[in-house]
Amino acid sequence: MTPSASALLDWYAHQRRVLPWRALPGQVADPYAVWLSEIMLQQTTVVTVMPYYERFLKCYPTVQDLAEAPLQDVLALWAGLGYYSRARNLHACAQAVAALGGFPSDVDGLQALPGIGAYTARAVAAIAFGVPVVPVDGNVERITSRLHAEDAPLPGVRRRLDHLATLLNDDPAARAAPSDFAQALFDLGAGLCTPRRPSCLMCPWRSVCRAYASGEPERFPVRAPRKAKPERHGVVFLLRDDSGAVWLRHRPEKGLLGGMTELPGTSWLDEAQDLASALDEAPVEALWKEAGQIRHVFTHFTLHLRVMMARVPDFGALHNQPGFACPSERLSRQALPSVMQKCLTVAGATAAD
């Protein structure tokens, strides 16, 4: 049976989270705030997103402000939040929305924008524009899997769970309050139907939940065994001049960490490179010393980097190389991803104000 949307909405009325991007009861949601938060929340937790969201809104209070900002400034503000293609798409989407004169109010129009997939389009449509659709994120996927005690493992069962989640909207009460219903589902998954130790006794849907009836709600959703992540290896070069400036470069616009700022370094290989051959790729000949090593976990692989450091009087020998000199006091304004910030920390440099 379809669980009672009214029961969930009653629970939400008393237990809803107060979030900076969420409209208060009786208020109309701001599409810009909803969209910005949803992009930031992809693969990231609410606690992590909060300070980034507040800084973005302070720098770019409207989508027009974001559209007019230089991409490198946007990337710098995003640095540390990860999944940097989101920041590039965020900027491109803001420009598209500004050109349109505002956000489209339907799912198809939203999904046609850069960086907006099926989930985000449904979330913005439901929350900001009252379109009666169910956005299926990890929370909603978990709730749906437990309601049906779905034994087939993720990720293969994802399409079926998406279909089952849409059926939650069959209840007229859900269709009458699309914004609250979508956010109630998010809060149910974040607050009660959690991955571990779900609070089933407090759940408004426990009476129709097959996972609860089975006595093993934590078993759902079932997941296929994880494959071990491959490992890659590389070397980066932290070169400073007598003024303390650091030599940096921009990564290619496309690909992993596209458009971000980095220390020059070798390619990332499946096997560790011997140091002598790695030093052949150093930006200049110098007295290179090893500062340490870092380990960084990406979605699909784990990266190990050796950090080499050296000092030269000036950067004149690099005049024909791509890159630029960054004064130490301006490191915090660069679009340095977390992996590069780790390298700076190991070398005793800092990107903090």
Side-chain angles (χ1 to χ4, degrees), residues 11-97:
W11 171 84
Y12 177 68
H14 296 92
Q15 302 297 331
R16 62 185 291 157
R17 291 176 293 177
V18 177
L19 300 171
W21 49 81
R22 182 175 283 182
L24 295 173
Q27 292 182 342
V28 177
D30 177 5
Y32 175 57
V34 175
W35 163 74
L36 181 61
S37 68
E38 289 296 341
I39 298 298
M40 288 187 166
L41 285 166
Q42 293 170 12
Q43 307 292 329
T44 316
T45 65
V46 168
V47 172
T48 301
V49 161
M50 286 274 204
Y52 284 91
Y53 174 84
E54 290 169 354
R55 284 198 292 269
F56 256 83
L57 215 59
K58 183 178 180 180
C59 289
Y60 312 121
T62 69
V63 71
Q64 185 71 39
D65 295 321
L66 179 56
E68 293 173 355
L71 176 59
Q72 282 299 313
D73 289 356
V74 175
L75 290 172
L77 204 58
W78 189 277
L81 196 53
Y83 300 92
Y84 296 98
S85 61
R86 293 181 298 164
R88 297 194 301 276
N89 285 330
L90 186 86
H91 188 252
C93 186
Q95 292 179 326
V97 171

